[in-house]
Amino acid sequence: MAASLLSYPSLSNARITERCMWLNSSHHKGMRMRCFSICLQKQCNFKQWMPPTIAPSRQHLLKAFALNVAITPQENPSPSGVLNASHFMRSKTLPENPSDGLNGLEGELQEFFDEVKTMFMEGKKDDALDLLQANYEVVKEQINAGRRGIQEAATLDIIALGYMGVGDLKSVGPILNLLNVVTESLKDDELLLDSILIHMGSMYSALGKLEESVFVYQRAIGSLEVKYGKSSTFLVSPLLGMAKVLGSIGKAKKAIDVYHHVIRILESRSGVECEDLIVPIFNLANLLVKEGRNKDAEVQFMRILSIYQNLYGENDGRVGMALCSLAHVKCSTGNVEEAIDMYKRAIQIIKDTNYMDLDDTIVEKMRIDLAELLHVVGRGNEGRDLLEECLLMAEKYRGKKHPSTVTHLLNLATSYSQSKNYVEAERLLRACLEIMKKTVSPDDQSITFPMLHLAATLCSLNRDEEAEQLALEVLRIREKAFGKDSVPVGEALDCLECIQSRAGRGEAELLELLMRVLNIQEREFGYESEEVIQTLNKIVFCLDKLGRKDEKLSMKRRLSKLKMKYKQMVQ
């Protein structure tokens, strides 16, 4: 009977899939606009997006028990909207047929979760929170009265999942603490306990309590191994959860071993070409990239591509997605031209098969990645065409003044700056600032990225006075937002020094700025970093102009040693 609750997921698990997807998405805040920073001395790169992920299909999602919390209308509903305790606590012990009793519990918890989700989706977040809190108070009273069975554990679990779903993570911690007390008193052979432990592992992970997450995952895995053996597919979901956490806490070797164990389990069940292998292989490949093992990661991404090609043919949208991930790692291994070809093929396949909308953010990221690579290899015109396409798509589907167009305007401005078309770069940056000023406050730090870029552009157009005023405003905003000794402030100081140097400001004033930059770089990048070497060069020049020979000699000795050491490192 437990097997029916924990069976490896199939396509029929639509309700569980829907619940998992809602929990994963509803509390996710909109992705913050990530702009690139500008420095006058350096060529600017486009924003480096993460590679598109291969979204798991429904069969990869956890089949836990059907939890979804809420009350659907009944003939005699509880007037308070609280789950009636008699619905869950029909007796202090499980019924003679535990499967029937727990299936009823599952159903009622599913209804409760559905109600909470419906309230939230309809914009009634406060009502959803009130319902969750009322039920939490009821189950706390039952626990304080000494009732610490599987019913209480399952109810706490679904309430915690409800809070996760509405985005109130702050309330989840205390519930998990109480749930942990209840589950500690339960034996591992309790029906539903394995699923509850797996949920707890996931929620602890979401809260950043990674050690606790590993502990409950280990307990769930140990229990399942005793019941079904170490090669059971019931182990797949908790093993994947634990591997992810292990990778996050720096235990990459253990995480890699766990991923390989999952892969062996699935291979023994369905063969080496089954689609169920995609998720563990993809997660393994990403961890290998994180560990700098790009060649090993490339092997895994190649396998994903092969599986999709064998299952769906060469011209399938999933093949396009796999090609994109492989292109990303190819770039990491230095095969830039091959990566470019793969990106192009991937985008064409996705377009031909209508696998995604043309304005989908993942396709958008692919174009930006490809544009970045084309600029790197000197094919800026091709890259700029892609960036223009991104902007046109965003304007067409979201509107010309939509905040999402800011990224594309910035990327295009960078491209035009690299090709020394500063007039067009200025136009794009001013359009970008116009949009941002309508969506964020004047002192919002995000607005400083296009402002600093515009300052650099104006400097290139010999409009030093206007450039200086912009750089000073960026400095003011960033000092307030990040602190006077932060990296963003160091970047603004560096840009300001370049502008004032062109404008002919005195060496004493420039030296003061450079010393602030040097202090920030030493702390953030190290005393022997390349950034420090560049700044020391400028400081030595200023000291020489000021006639401060002793200070110049000291700095010059340090600079000579660093240059020699750096030269040896790069040879």
Side-chain angles (χ1 to χ4, degrees):
M1 292 172 218
S4 66
L5 298 171
L6 291 165
S7 58
Y8 195 69
S10 64
L11 284 170
S12 63
N13 297 323
R15 284 201 305 172
I16 298 301
T17 299
E18 180 187 9
R19 178 173 58 79
C20 292
M21 291 176 69
W22 179 66
L23 285 174
N24 288 335
S25 63
S26 62
H27 65 272
H28 173 68
K29 296 180 180 178
M31 183 176 66
R32 294 186 64 182
M33 180 175 54
R34 294 171 53 205
C35 307
F36 39 80
S37 54
I38 297 299
C39 177
L40 286 174
Q41 295 96 335
K42 298 178 182 177
Q43 189 180 42
C44 305
N45 293 328
F46 296 109
K47 178 176 66 176
Q48 190 63 30
W49 293 91
M50 292 298 291
T53 57
I54 300 173
S57 56
R58 290 177 184 264
Q59 63 263 37
H60 297 131
L61 295 170
L62 167 65
K63 170 64 170 80
F65 51 95
L67 296 180
N68 236 325
V69 209
I71 304 290
T72 51
Q74 301 174 8
E75 287 186 12
N76 298 300
S78 171
S80 65
V82 176
L83 285 177
N84 193 319
S86 65
H87 293 164
F88 300 119
M89 313 307 168
R90 294 186 177 87
S91 90
K92 292 185 180 180
T93 59
L94 292 178
E96 290 184 9
N97 187 340
S99 176
D100 291 344
L102 290 179
N103 284 338
L105 174 65
E106 284 187 72
E108 301 214 26
L109 291 174
Q110 181 74 51
E111 289 177 0
F112 178 49
F113 190 91
D114 284 339
E115 181 71 16
V116 172
K117 186 182 74 170
T118 300
M119 287 179 177
F120 181 75
M121 300 301 286
E122 290 177 351
K124 302 174 182 177
K125 181 177 179 179
D126 289 342
D127 291 343
L129 291 172
D130 289 344
L131 184 59
L132 289 166
Q133 183 61 32
N135 283 281
Y136 180 46
E137 295 299 330
V138 170
V139 74
K140 271 202 303 185
E141 290 178 9
Q142 295 163 353
I143 291 170
N144 291 335
R147 295 164 69 169
R148 299 187 178 186
I150 193 65
Q151 292 95 333
E152 288 77 20
T155 306
L156 282 174
D157 178 39
I158 203 61
I159 291 170
L161 288 171
Y163 275 112
M164 290 286 294
V166 300
D168 186 358
L169 303 188
K170 185 177 179 180
S171 298
V172 177
I175 300 172
L176 281 179
N177 292 338
L178 184 56
L179 179 55
N180 193 49
V181 171
V182 175
T183 55
E184 281 181 349
S185 65
L186 297 175
K187 295 181 180 179
D188 286 348
D189 59 359
E190 287 274 11
L191 294 173
L192 301 184
L193 180 58
D194 300 324
S195 291
I196 293 171
L197 292 172
I198 294 169
H199 292 160
M200 289 175 67
S202 178
M203 286 187 281
Y204 272 132
S205 176
L207 295 178
K209 298 183 177 181
L210 303 183
E211 296 293 343
E212 292 91 334
S213 178
V214 170
F215 178 80
V216 291
Y217 273 134
Q218 286 175 332
R219 183 180 175 190
I221 291 164
S223 173
L224 291 169
E225 286 178 343
V226 170
K227 293 174 185 174
Y228 308 110
K230 293 188 176 183
S231 298
S232 170
T233 53
F234 300 154
L235 296 167
V236 168
S237 289
L239 283 171
L240 284 174
M242 187 171 71
K244 181 179 179 181
V245 176
L246 288 170
S248 298
I249 61 178
K251 297 182 179 180
K253 186 177 184 303
K254 287 185 178 181
I256 289 169
D257 290 341
V258 173
Y259 282 129
H260 281 300
H261 181 39
V262 171
I263 291 168
R264 287 193 296 271
I265 290 173
L266 293 174
E267 286 175 338
S268 66
R269 172 183 181 259
S270 304
V272 297
E273 292 290 335
C274 71
E275 192 169 357
D276 292 340
L277 288 164
I278 296 296
V279 168
I281 295 175
F282 184 73
N283 290 344
L284 171 61
N286 279 336
L287 180 56
L288 291 169
V289 170
K290 180 182 174 183
E291 292 298 302
R293 296 169 56 179
N294 293 317
K295 286 292 185 182
D296 293 334
E298 184 178 341
V299 173
Q300 302 301 326
F301 282 122
M302 285 290 293
R303 185 175 181 188
I304 292 172
L305 178 62
S306 176
I307 290 172
Y308 275 138
Q309 285 175 332
N310 289 336
L311 289 175
Y312 301 107
E314 296 283 339
N315 297 311
D316 182 86
R318 283 155 289 204
V319 171
M321 297 300 295
L323 275 168
C324 181
S325 294
L326 183 58
H328 188 84
V329 78
K330 284 280 188 185
C331 183
S332 300
T333 59
N335 297 317
V336 177
E337 291 291 350
E338 191 174 358
I340 288 172
D341 291 341
M342 285 185 173
Y343 271 124
K344 283 187 172 182
R345 185 180 163 205
I347 293 170
Q348 192 62 48
I349 290 173
I350 290 169
K351 182 178 180 181
D352 291 344
T353 58
N354 295 317
Y355 186 71
M356 289 182 177
D357 294 333
L358 292 177
D359 66 324
D360 188 276
T361 54
I362 293 178
V363 180
E364 189 176 79
K365 291 173 186 179
M366 288 184 187
R367 294 194 197 100
I368 292 173
D369 276 342
L370 177 55
E372 167 81 15
L373 293 182
L374 288 167
H375 278 82
V376 167
V377 298
R379 294 158 64 179
N381 289 336
E382 292 178 63
R384 196 153 45 250
D385 288 343
L386 281 169
L387 296 177
E388 291 275 9
E389 186 179 348
C390 287
L391 177 61
L392 290 173
M393 286 290 177
E395 290 178 340
K396 177 180 178 181
Y397 290 100
R398 301 167 207 161
K400 285 194 173 185
K401 302 297 183 180
H402 193 273
S404 64
T405 61
V406 165
T407 294
H408 307 305
L409 289 166
L410 282 168
N411 284 338
L412 268 173
T414 300
S415 177
Y416 279 113
S417 290
Q418 288 182 358
S419 65
K420 302 191 184 307
N421 188 344
Y422 300 115
V423 172
E424 183 62 15
E426 180 193 358
R427 184 189 70 80
L428 292 165
L429 289 166
R430 292 197 183 279
C432 173
L433 281 169
E434 182 184 345
I435 294 170
M436 292 194 73
K437 286 176 181 178
K438 294 178 180 179
T439 56
V440 300
S441 69
D443 283 349
D444 191 290
Q445 58 83 19
S446 64
I447 206 169
T448 65
F449 293 97
M451 284 178 69
L452 199 61
H453 192 162
L454 180 57
T457 302
L458 292 172
C459 185
S460 298
L461 290 169
N462 299 319
R463 291 155 63 182
D464 296 334
E465 185 176 344
E466 190 178 357
E468 182 179 6
Q469 291 306 310
L470 276 171
L472 285 168
E473 179 65 7
V474 169
L475 181 61
R476 181 191 68 79
I477 295 172
R478 289 190 177 184
E479 285 181 335
K480 182 178 177 181
F482 302 111
K484 292 190 174 183
D485 296 323
S486 63
V487 171
V489 166
E491 181 185 48
L493 288 166
D494 198 22
C495 184
L496 179 60
E497 186 275 331
C498 291
I499 294 169
Q500 291 185 343
S501 178
R502 267 185 47 93
R505 293 298 176 87
E507 274 70 25
E509 190 175 349
L510 299 176
L511 182 61
E512 184 180 347
L513 294 175
L514 289 169
M515 292 305 296
R516 284 188 65 187
V517 172
L518 180 65
N519 289 334
I520 293 170
Q521 291 174 338
E522 288 175 338
R523 188 183 64 254
E524 296 294 335
F525 309 127
Y527 284 80
E528 298 180 352
S529 64
E530 186 178 357
E531 290 85 359
V532 165
I533 293 175
Q534 293 172 352
T535 303
L536 282 174
N537 267 317
K538 294 182 180 182
I539 290 174
V540 168
F541 179 81
C542 281
L543 289 171
D544 182 57
K545 287 284 188 180
L546 290 168
R548 293 158 63 170
K549 295 182 179 179
D550 291 342
E551 294 174 71
K552 172 192 168 185
L553 185 60
S554 174
M555 287 289 188
K556 198 168 184 179
R557 286 199 197 101
R558 180 184 172 189
L559 182 59
S560 297
K561 289 180 181 178
L562 287 179
K563 284 183 175 179
M564 182 62 67
K565 190 168 186 177
Y566 186 75
K567 184 178 180 181
Q568 291 171 349
M569 288 173 59
V570 299
Q571 282 179 343

